[in-house]
Amino acid sequence: MEQQLQHPGWRPVDPPRRPVLVVNPRSGDGAAARVKVVERARDLGIEVVILTPRQSLVALVRSAVERGADALGMAGGDGSLSVVAEVAASHGLPFICVPAGTRNHFALDLGVDRRDVLGALEAFTEGVEREVDVAEVNGRLFLNNVSLGVYGEAVRRSAYRDAKARTLVATADKVLGPHGHVPSLRLVDDAGREHAQLAVVLVSNNPYSLDRPPVGTRPALDSGRLGVIALDAPGGGPHAPGRAWSAPHLEVLATAPVHAGTDGEAVDLDPPLHFAIRPKALRVRISSRHPGASPSAALSRAAPRLPMPRPPKP
């Protein structure tokens, strides 16, 4: 190895015999095409499947497994990664994340060098492997987080992908303003207190670092715990308006289908919402030259308890 991994737990593995990489050419404003991911992958002997607008990503990946794929990779955004990871986890296959999306949150916390997109392909040829957790809501897998409330409403807006911060602020003003309507969400926190007027609920696959920099990254992806952040709407109750904690599972109640952002993708979820962690359910591989650890990996794995946390960007 040219570089020693900075985090323990990774092990060397033999290269797969029939690797498959799915490429979403639209992710990250064409990031894969700019650095020639398809050409490099084919040079390495990797079968490449290019996702077109009318194709089903799930169907493409399942077809690859039926043809004998023994490793699955995705070059795309976090939403696409979750789809491929779910198929990989269900078949016990290794999963390779190629950071060709816009934000690449999962790649960052996994320890993939997001600036080295082509180098990430070396996970297929000179990779190291470990098991990480995945989370689910009503049986749907997610790698990063599910956002409800203001975030869930913002993700549904067509302008969200081009101007996330501006759209989020505009949505918050509308939802939390004097004539706004706060989504009807209820949950009970780890202290046994009910939150019945919630502006934001963020449930993550492992807790985020919130009290020390770098804020918004996860120190670990194998703690076996969900991270939960709940922010009450103004006047939402006598207790502190925000709380963060960790738990192996969570239930969120609602009176109607809930608008949610699941790894940045807009979905509707039928209540009640059952969240759970699936410990070490996904085999992941990265290049042996990449860091192998989140920027916040040196921090404590304990979930912070803050009076007013500031949630990370979904």
Side-chain angles (χ1 to χ4, degrees), residues 27-312:
S27 293
D29 293 326
R34 285 196 300 273
V35 298
K36 301 186 182 304
V37 165
V38 172
E39 293 84 348
R40 178 57 179 160
R42 287 172 175 162
D43 287 343
L44 294 172
I46 302 166
E47 178 185 344
V48 176
V49 177
I50 300 175
L51 178 66
T52 62
R54 295 186 179 181
Q55 288 180 306
S56 163
L57 178 55
V58 174
L60 285 178
V61 179
R62 287 177 177 170
S63 176
V65 174
E66 291 172 359
R67 295 196 307 273
D70 59 354
L72 297 172
M74 182 71 214
D78 286 315
S80 299
L81 294 177
S82 296
V83 173
V84 180
E86 184 159 22
V87 177
S90 66
H91 289 85
L93 298 177
F95 173 67
I96 290 91
C97 165
V98 179
T102 301
R103 295 184 179 275
N104 303 301
H105 288 308
F106 183 68
L108 176 66
D109 292 339
L110 189 61
V112 174
D113 184 347
R114 297 182 297 176
R115 300 165 299 179
D116 185 19
V117 180
L118 292 182
L121 294 172
E122 295 176 8
F124 287 101
T125 58
E126 299 178 13
V128 289
E129 182 177 302
R130 70 177 305 169
E131 287 79 33
V132 299
D133 305 338
V134 297
E136 62 180 40
V137 54
N138 291 2
R140 181 190 181 108
L141 181 146
F142 61 95
L143 296 175
N144 295 321
N145 59 61
V146 173
S147 51
L148 313 173
V150 174
Y151 278 164
E153 297 292 331
V155 170
R156 301 182 66 81
R157 298 195 173 194
S158 59
Y160 180 75
R161 293 191 182 278
D162 295 328
K164 288 181 168 60
R166 185 165 61 249
T167 304
L168 182 58
V169 170
T171 305
D173 287 343
K174 181 177 180 180
V175 172
L176 301 179
H179 303 293
H181 174 69
V182 177
S184 177
L185 303 171
R186 292 188 294 117
L187 61 79
V188 176
D189 67 23
D190 59 324
R193 297 180 301 196
E194 184 179 42
H195 298 253
Q197 290 181 276
L198 288 156
V200 172
V201 178
L202 189 81
V203 184
S204 56
N205 172 28
N206 284 255
Y208 284 98
S209 168
L210 297 174
D211 53 351
R212 287 173 287 181
V215 172
T217 63
R218 290 165 288 179
L221 289 173
D222 59 357
S223 71
R225 310 278 289 182
L226 299 167
V228 187
I229 300 170
L231 298 179
D232 296 302
H239 47 70
R243 188 168 182 83
W245 70 97
S246 70
H249 51 79
L250 176 75
E251 183 177 71
V252 177
L253 303 177
T255 57
V258 178
H259 297 330
T262 302
D263 284 347
E265 301 294 324
V267 299
D268 286 335
L269 300 172
D270 292 326
L273 278 56
H274 296 288
F275 292 88
I277 198 79
R278 290 162 53 185
K280 298 186 177 181
L282 179 65
R283 296 167 57 192
V284 289
R285 291 186 183 182
I286 67 171
S287 166
S288 61
R289 296 190 298 110
H290 284 182
S294 163
S296 56
L299 302 179
S300 169
R301 293 190 176 192
R305 299 177 183 271
L306 305 176
M308 176 56 79
R310 181 178 66 185

Side-chain angles (χ1 to χ4, degrees), residues 7-29:
H7 194 62
W10 296 93
R11 59 184 178 274
V13 288
D14 292 331
R17 295 182 178 180
R18 300 194 64 179
V20 172
L21 173 70
V22 181
V23 177
N24 184 348
R26 300 177 303 283
S27 293
D29 293 326

